[in-house]
């Protein structure tokens, strides 16, 4: 396992980090299975575990808490807030009211008195940067969080938050957690240059592109991944973007085979090769999944391999642009880009 400094924090984290989204009902993972995954991950040298309040509506946090009991100080613990936690309209977002309340809920579920990294799961357009950063700064000063970060923010929102922190003499985001894989490279255009400019650590989620790069999705085979069952539209080959992904996967498989690598090694090696990326978040549902991903812990891709990948999926390209999670609201809502008469 390799380690890198998390942004400008001085904290050393493993280049592969354990994402716990699949713990519980989402991944149909039991507590015993989750504990076994955590045990194996820590033994392999992973020292960063990332979860969120909305994963299973708190279930993932509870399972992580039980799995790390007695060894909390041996790892960097991260969680997130902002996504809806039930139907109550104020049980979501990044207002001071909600963040203060929900952090206490997360600490209770995790069974700890602080988290190392508290992340805003998505940019909340209804709340000012000053409001959010002020609340996070106070929680940091209270000792309940060590650092805080953003997740899936558009590049211009990262910049705006950095300036808001500076202008209001508040602590600033030290990390960004974007979606990044060989098939979704759009963040190379704007987000990663911004994180490098401001010295943010980057925790890349979905490095296997929801299973497209796991080796389980190939031409002529039935797609049976768990994600295909949950979101079948993302694997429907009648949709042009999905066919484009499959075409790329077939070409990438040949590159991996020629290099003596698995698709997982190629995919994770690509993400961790980018100088802006600190860690790639893996989200195994089973021990078998974990071990196949741990095989990429020391994978270093040569310049020739990276060039071959660039030939298949050009830098800065998203093969499935409709699945962008950091798109500005005006791209999703036509009324926001049309002046009313």
């Amino acid at each position: 396992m390799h380690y890198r400094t998390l942004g400008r924090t001085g904290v050393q984290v493993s280049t592969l980090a354990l994402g716990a989204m699949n713990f519980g009902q989402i991944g149909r993972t039991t507590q015993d299975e989750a504990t076994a995954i955590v045990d194996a991950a820590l033994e392999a040298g992973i020292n960063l575990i990332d979860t969120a309040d909305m994963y299973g509506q708190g279930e993932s946090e509870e399972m992580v808490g039980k799995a790390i009991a007695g060894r909390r100080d041996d790892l960097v613990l991260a969680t997130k807030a902002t996504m809806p936690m039930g139907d109550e309209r104020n049980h979501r977002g990044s207002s001071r009211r909600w963040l203060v309340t929900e952090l206490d809920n997360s600490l209770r579920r995790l069974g700890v008195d602080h988290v190392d990294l508290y992340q805003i799961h998505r940019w909340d357009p209804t709340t000012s940067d000053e409001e959010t950063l002020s609340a996070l700064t106070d929680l940091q000063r209270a000792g309940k969080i060590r650092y805080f970060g953003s997740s899936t923010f558009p590049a211009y929102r990262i910049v705006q938050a950095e300036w808001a922190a500076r202008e209001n003499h508040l602590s600033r985001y030290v990390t960004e957690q974007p979606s990044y894989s060989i098939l979704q490279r759009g963040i190379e255009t704007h987000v990663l240059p911004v994180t490098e400019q401001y010295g943010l650590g980057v925790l890349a989620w979905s490095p296997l592109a929801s299973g497209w790069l796991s080796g389980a999705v190939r031409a002529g085979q039935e797609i049976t991944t768990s994600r295909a069952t949950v979101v079948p539209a993302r694997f429907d080959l009648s949709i042009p973007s999905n066919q484009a992904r499959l075409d790329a996967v077939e070409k990438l498989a040949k590159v991996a085979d020629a290099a003596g690598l698995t698709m997982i090694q190629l995919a994770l090696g690509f993400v961790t090769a980018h100088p802006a990326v600190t860690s790639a978040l893996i989200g195994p549902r089973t021990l078998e999944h974990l071990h196949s991903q741990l095989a990429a812990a020391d994978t270093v891709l040569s310049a020739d391999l990276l060039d071959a990948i660039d030939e298949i999926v050009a830098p800065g390209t998203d093969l499935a642009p409709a699945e962008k999670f950091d798109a500005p609201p005006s791209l999703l809502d036509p009324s926001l880009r049309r002046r009313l008469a």
Side-chain angles (χ1 to χ4, degrees), residues 46 82 114 229-230 252 336:
I46 286 178
T82 296
H114 73 280
T229 302
V230 177
L252 291 166
L336 297 178

Side-chain angles (χ1 to χ4, degrees), residues 172-194:
R172 64 189 186 94
Y173 295 127
V174 300
T175 58
E176 161 60 15
Q177 187 177 135
S179 173
Y180 184 45
S181 72
I182 294 176
L183 304 182
Q184 294 288 93
R185 301 183 61 174
I187 66 167
E188 294 172 347
T189 304
H190 300 295
V191 172
L192 293 185
V194 165

Side-chain angles (χ1 to χ4, degrees), residues 212 223 226-237 239 242:
W212 278 96
I223 301 176
S226 62
R227 191 58 61 87
T229 302
V230 177
V231 280
R234 293 189 186 179
F235 297 85
D236 182 351
L237 296 181
I239 298 174
N242 290 336

Side-chain angles (χ1 to χ4, degrees), residues 24-241:
Q25 62 183 357
I26 295 177
R28 303 183 302 281
T29 306
T30 67
Q31 181 64 60
D32 286 345
E33 290 170 328
T35 299
I37 289 171
V38 170
D39 288 345
L42 295 181
E43 184 177 351
I46 286 178
N47 72 339
L48 170 60
I49 298 180
D50 176 78
T51 183
D53 58 351
M54 60 86 63
Y55 296 162
Q57 292 292 288
E59 186 179 19
S60 173
E61 287 183 325
E62 291 176 353
M63 295 176 78
V64 168
K66 292 175 181 177
I68 66 172
R71 50 189 174 180
R72 189 263 174 273
D73 291 339
D74 298 334
L75 54 93
V76 177
L77 182 61
T79 192
K80 300 183 283 292
T82 296
M83 303 291 270
M85 290 293 286
D87 296 329
E88 164 56 43
R89 68 186 63 196
N90 285 314
H91 288 186
R92 67 192 70 192
S94 55
S95 68
R96 172 181 290 273
R97 180 182 188 274
W98 178 238
L99 291 178
V100 170
T101 297
E102 186 59 357
L103 176 59
D104 282 341
N105 291 336
S106 288
L107 294 178
R108 172 179 48 78
R109 288 188 290 259
L110 288 163
V112 299
D113 62 4
H114 73 280
V115 293
D116 298 296
L117 180 64
Y118 198 46
Q119 300 154 103
I120 301 302
H121 210 152
R122 294 289 188 273
W123 169 54
D124 174 11
T126 67
T127 307
S128 71
D129 290 306
E130 293 82 359
E131 164 90 0
T132 300
L133 292 168
S134 175
L136 292 170
T137 299
D138 286 347
L139 291 170
Q140 184 182 52
R141 290 170 178 167
K144 292 185 175 183
I145 61 179
R146 297 295 185 255
Y147 307 100
F148 50 85
S150 57
S151 176
T152 323
F153 274 33
Y156 77 98
R157 293 310 316 175
I158 298 173
V159 173
Q160 181 61 31
E162 292 290 320
W163 276 100
R166 181 178 300 182
E167 290 178 352
N168 293 278
H169 306 289
L170 299 168
S171 296
R172 64 189 186 94
Y173 295 127
V174 300
T175 58
E176 161 60 15
Q177 187 177 135
S179 173
Y180 184 45
S181 72
I182 294 176
L183 304 182
Q184 294 288 93
R185 301 183 61 174
I187 66 167
E188 294 172 347
T189 304
H190 300 295
V191 172
L192 293 185
V194 165
T195 61
E196 287 186 290
Q197 175 68 34
Y198 286 98
L200 274 66
V202 172
L203 308 174
W205 61 269
S206 200
L208 298 182
S210 297
W212 278 96
L213 298 172
S214 68
V217 180
R218 296 296 302 275
Q221 297 180 186
E222 182 182 1
I223 301 176
T224 59
T225 64
S226 62
R227 191 58 61 87
T229 302
V230 177
V231 280
R234 293 189 186 179
F235 297 85
D236 182 351
L237 296 181
S238 68
I239 298 174
S241 60

Side-chain angles (χ1 to χ4, degrees), residues 290-334:
L290 174 66
H291 289 306
S292 67
Q293 293 161 16
L294 286 174
D298 58 357
T299 298
V300 177
L301 302 187
S302 67
D304 288 343
L305 277 177
L306 293 170
D307 288 343
I309 292 171
D310 287 349
E311 288 295 320
I312 297 169
V313 182
T317 301
D318 287 313
L319 292 188
E323 293 179 16
K324 289 285 291 179
F325 293 94
D326 61 352
S330 61
L331 297 185
L332 306 176
D333 182 353

